[in-house]
Amino acid sequence: VVTACSSNTPTSSPTTQSTTSTAVPQLKATDFTADFAAMKQLTDLAKQGKGMIGVLLPDTTTSTRYVQYDAPYLTKAFEAAGLSASDFKIDNANGSAATMQTQAEADINAGASVLLVDPLDPGSGAAIEAKAEAAGVKVIDYDRLVTGGPADRYYVSFDNVEVGKLIGQGAVDCIGGWNVPTPNVLVMDGDPSDNNAKLFAQGYNGVLDPKFKDGTFTKVGEPAGTWTPSVAATTFEQQLTANPATNAVVTPNDDNANAVIAVLKKNGTPAKKFPTTGQDASLPGLQNILTGYQCGTVYKPIYLEAQAAAALAIYLRAGQEPPSSLVAATTKDTVLNKDIKSVYTTPVWVTPDNMAATVVKDGAVKVADLCTGDVASACAQAGIK
């Protein structure tokens, strides 16, 4: 033993030892694509993770996206990474904060290690997240920031100020393109309790305010916001009665725009005379764009957001610090006055000119569903086959 210890023969290098650890994939938000291929890089990490991933979605009415896109895309992302049906659970609260609370408690009691929370309102969301964190569950805000939630949580969404800028610039371009004389613009916001609605408004007001200030446009009003289409329709009718010169409206999503457009059609307003805007690239929104009642929509490829959220959850489930290449942004929580570590994916403004190359190409909408009835000829003109 003494001879061995005093020998000058070099010992084995640590890199040649048989005990090695699996490299943690360094994904970026830009790695995610429509074929979900990037998720396959997480299969080893998914095998290391423990506990269930619980997903809490808010409703089926304020936007059709949660049923139509989010739930199936999240499922596809988890499965592409190798998770089985017992490793994740996706619930929709159907508009009830109490239901979401019950769903969250069920997930925690079932041994969830990560919760993705898309809250109905910040207060109920923060309560859910506080209870989850107290139970040792990692928390991710999905799509909407839960202001007042735990300081060490994560947030996955699109750059929502940029979403608002696209809406605002889309309105400006459309007012010019449709030759709207003396633009009298009504600004309609989303629900003020939703932090995203505030960020959207920050974006589009930043584009529109200079137009209002220099007199190019006249702002006729900005009533209390909502995400409920029936309320949006009533509000619009009231505003139109009070300001009959109104000839353009900034609507914050496709469902509210569709409610406004129903009023315009009832009033006999022809196509390409009264601009509206939107987001979510919903089927009604896309059809309204093709038929000339909506200027455009912000397409938020939800398959990108779903993959980013699923990937982040898989890192956390495996006890790994998510890479800075993925968590490359921060979002201000105005209640905590803290920056929340965030993952942003990129939105796109969609008009008839690029609809075929974006939402149709991505398979976000089926041509057979889109190009029906009087929309068929508009599809042909837009090169959608």
Side-chain angles (χ1 to χ4, degrees):
V1 175
V2 172
T3 303
C5 286
S6 61
S7 170
N8 290 327
T9 303
T11 58
S12 297
S13 167
T15 58
T16 64
Q17 294 177 1
S18 60
T19 303
T20 58
S21 59
T22 304
V24 177
Q26 302 295 297
L27 289 179
K28 307 182 295 295
T30 52
D31 290 337
F32 303 113
T33 53
D35 62 5
F36 286 66
M39 296 303 300
K40 300 185 188 305
Q41 297 181 42
L42 299 172
T43 52
D44 287 338
L45 205 61
K47 292 174 184 175
Q48 298 173 33
K50 297 179 180 179
M52 181 184 69
I53 298 170
V55 180
L56 305 173
L57 300 177
D59 59 54
T60 59
T61 56
T62 63
S63 177
T64 57
R65 57 167 285 186
Y66 297 115
V67 174
Q68 192 172 357
Y69 301 121
D70 293 84
Y73 283 146
L74 284 162
T75 298
K76 187 173 181 178
F78 289 135
E79 291 178 345
L83 295 183
S84 66
S86 61
D87 293 324
F88 65 92
K89 182 168 171 276
I90 301 174
D91 290 308
N92 192 301
N94 291 307
S96 168
T99 297
M100 184 175 286
Q101 179 74 49
T102 300
Q103 291 166 343
E105 291 173 357
D107 287 351
I108 294 168
N109 292 335
S113 55
V114 182
L115 277 188
L116 272 69
V117 182
D118 189 343
L120 282 152
D121 62 85
S124 63
I128 287 170
E129 293 186 348
K131 189 160 188 175
E133 187 167 76
V137 179
K138 297 291 185 181
V139 175
I140 300 169
D141 293 356
Y142 179 69
D143 197 63
R144 294 170 176 164
L145 187 72
V146 181
T147 50
D152 61 348
R153 72 195 188 276
Y154 292 84
Y155 176 46
V156 178
S157 189
F158 291 86
D159 184 338
N160 290 311
V161 174
E162 180 62 23
V163 170
K165 288 179 181 178
L166 291 173
I167 290 172
Q169 190 59 51
V172 171
D173 293 344
C174 190
I175 286 169
W178 288 8
N179 298 312
V180 176
T182 316
N184 291 280
V185 184
L186 174 66
V187 178
M188 296 182 69
D189 302 322
D191 191 323
S193 69
D194 179 357
N195 192 69
N196 280 5
K198 298 174 185 176
L199 298 175
F200 302 148
Q202 179 184 332
Y204 53 68
N205 284 327
V207 174
L208 295 170
D209 281 348
K211 298 288 186 182
F212 295 141
K213 288 177 181 177
D214 69 13
T216 305
F217 295 174
T218 299
K219 183 177 182 178
V220 297
E222 187 171 4
T226 181
W227 287 133
T228 304
S230 59
V231 175
T234 300
T235 299
F236 176 66
E237 287 188 294
Q238 292 170 342
Q239 292 291 315
L240 200 56
T241 299
N243 302 285
T246 302
N247 54 12
V249 58
V250 173
T251 32
N253 74 353
D254 292 348
D255 289 347
N256 279 12
N258 196 40
V260 166
I261 289 165
V263 174
L264 293 175
K265 288 182 175 179
K266 182 182 71 174
N267 293 346
T269 305
K272 293 189 176 182
K273 292 296 182 182
F274 198 116
T276 68
T277 58
Q279 69 170 300
D280 293 334
S282 70
L283 180 60
L286 296 169
Q287 291 176 326
N288 285 331
I289 292 166
L290 289 168
T291 55
Y293 282 92
Q294 186 172 322
C295 301
T297 184
V298 179
Y299 172 41
K300 299 186 295 186
I302 296 170
Y303 62 81
L304 300 180
E305 185 180 24
Q307 288 177 83
L312 185 56
I314 288 169
Y315 282 110
L316 296 176
R317 179 175 177 265
Q320 296 288 346
E321 181 77 16
S324 58
S325 56
L326 179 63
V327 186
T330 60
T331 305
K332 177 69 72 175
D333 183 326
T334 54
V335 173
L336 299 181
N337 196 30
K338 290 185 178 294
D339 290 328
I340 305 303
K341 292 173 284 188
S342 304
V343 182
Y344 286 159
T345 48
T346 305
V348 180
W349 181 248
V350 170
T351 69
D353 293 336
N354 67 343
M355 194 179 294
T358 53
V359 291
V360 174
K361 181 182 177 182
D362 285 351
V365 62
K366 295 179 180 178
V367 174
D369 295 333
L370 178 65
C371 301
T372 60
D374 60 351
V375 185
S377 60
C379 279
Q381 290 176 6
I384 299 171
K385 301 178 181 178

